[in-house]
Amino acid sequence: YQRRVRGGIRGLAELCRLLLRYTETEWTDAVIPITPEGADSWFKGKKYNMGLDFPNLPYLVDGDVKLTQTVAIMRYLGRKFGLSPSEADVTKGDLMEQYMMEVRLALGKVCYADADQYVEKKSEFLDKLALRVEEMGKFIGAGPYVLGDKITYVDFLALEFLDNVAAFSPDHFKTGPVVEYINRMKSLPALKKFYDSEDCTHKSYAINSPKSQWPGWPSKQ
C-alpha cells in the first residue's frame, strides 16, 4: 500500500488502521508502493525475511508479536486495547465478523473477476445485496454499535467493509439502520478527525488494486 495522491489501496489493512486511529495509538504505516520497485521490495525483500509464520499482507509487528491474516490481527488488537466482545457477546461478535468477511469476499470476487465475467458477477452480487443490507440492519438495530453499547474490534471491520460495499453500490445505502450505523462510527471523535483531515487516505487510496475491474478510487476531491 502506498500513500500518494490517487495511488494507494485500502485493501484488508484499512480496518486495522481504523482501529489504531480510534485508539490514537502511535504506529507506522509500512506502505509498499504499487510499482515494480515496490513489488520487488516486498516479494524479493521483506516477505520472507521478517520472521512471519505465514508471510502475507497485511502484517503487524508489535514488539515480539508478528502477525499476518486480517482477522487474527484484528482480534489481537481487540485484546490489546480492550475492544474484544464481552463473554456474553463473543458468539454474536464471531457471527458478525464472519458474515462481514463473507460479504467482503463476495465483493472481492466481483472486483477481481476476469473482464469477461465482471458484468455477470456484479449482477449476481447486486441481486443479493438488498437482502444482505436488510439482514445486517436487523442485526445492528439501534446499536449504537454492532454488539450494542460496547464498541469492539468487530465495529471497525464492519465499518470498513460496509463502506467498501456502499462505495460500490451507493443506491443500497441511502437510508436505514446500516447507513445510520456507518455515520455514527464515522462521527466518533478520533475517526471524524481522520476523515476530515487533509491527510485522510480515503481521499487518495483506492479500495482495491488498480488492476482490478473495480479499484474503487475515491471521488475527485
Side-chain angles (χ1 to χ4, degrees):
Y1 313 128
Q2 182 186 23
R3 182 170 297 177
R4 64 174 184 175
V5 176
R6 299 181 67 81
I9 71 171
R10 287 153 64 173
L12 294 178
E14 192 61 21
L15 45 158
C16 309
R17 296 181 182 120
L18 288 173
L19 188 154
L20 290 169
R21 292 176 184 121
Y22 170 77
T23 62
E24 299 185 300
T25 300
E26 290 188 11
W27 55 286
T28 301
D29 196 359
V31 293
I32 296 172
I34 307 174
T35 62
E37 294 78 15
D40 284 347
S41 74
W42 171 247
F43 289 107
K44 296 181 181 180
K46 286 185 174 183
K47 185 172 183 179
Y48 296 107
N49 294 292
M50 295 183 62
L52 300 169
D53 291 318
F54 302 102
N56 205 346
L57 295 172
Y59 67 83
L60 171 80
V61 177
D62 183 20
D64 293 333
V65 175
K66 297 181 179 182
L67 286 174
T68 54
Q69 305 304 315
T70 300
V71 172
I73 293 171
M74 291 297 285
R75 290 179 179 179
Y76 171 79
L77 293 174
R79 293 189 295 271
K80 181 179 179 72
F81 294 108
L83 294 170
S84 295
S86 67
E87 186 174 349
D89 285 336
V90 69
T91 302
K92 287 186 68 177
D94 289 347
L95 176 61
M96 186 60 163
E97 168 198 286
Q98 292 303 307
Y99 188 75
M100 287 307 313
M101 290 297 294
E102 179 182 297
V103 172
R104 185 60 180 87
L105 179 60
L107 176 62
K109 288 180 177 179
V110 177
C111 299
Y112 289 95
D114 292 337
D116 61 348
Q117 297 180 338
Y118 174 69
V119 173
E120 179 182 355
K121 289 186 178 295
K122 177 180 179 180
S123 178
E124 291 173 354
F125 178 81
L126 294 179
D127 285 345
K128 299 176 182 177
L129 187 54
L131 178 58
R132 282 175 162 157
V133 173
E134 180 183 354
E135 290 174 339
M136 289 184 286
K138 288 180 179 178
F139 189 95
I140 296 169
Y145 305 114
V146 163
L147 300 178
D149 292 331
K150 176 179 168 58
I151 192 169
T152 69
Y153 77 86
V154 183
D155 285 292
F156 302 95
L157 185 151
L159 170 61
E160 175 61 11
F161 289 168
L162 288 170
D163 207 26
N164 294 170
V165 180
F168 184 74
S169 182
D171 287 346
H172 285 85
F173 292 84
K174 291 184 176 180
T175 60
V178 172
V179 175
E180 293 167 3
Y181 168 76
I182 293 172
N183 291 337
R184 278 197 302 274
M185 287 294 296
K186 289 187 174 183
S187 295
L188 293 169
L191 294 189
K192 187 176 188 303
K193 179 180 178 181
F194 164 69
Y195 287 116
D196 289 347
S197 73
E198 291 297 321
D199 295 328
C200 176
T201 51
H202 293 204
K203 299 174 182 176
S204 57
Y205 278 31
I207 291 171
N208 300 305
S209 167
K211 295 182 179 181
S212 66
Q213 302 300 325
W214 185 78
W217 288 112
S219 57
K220 188 175 181 181
Q221 299 298 313

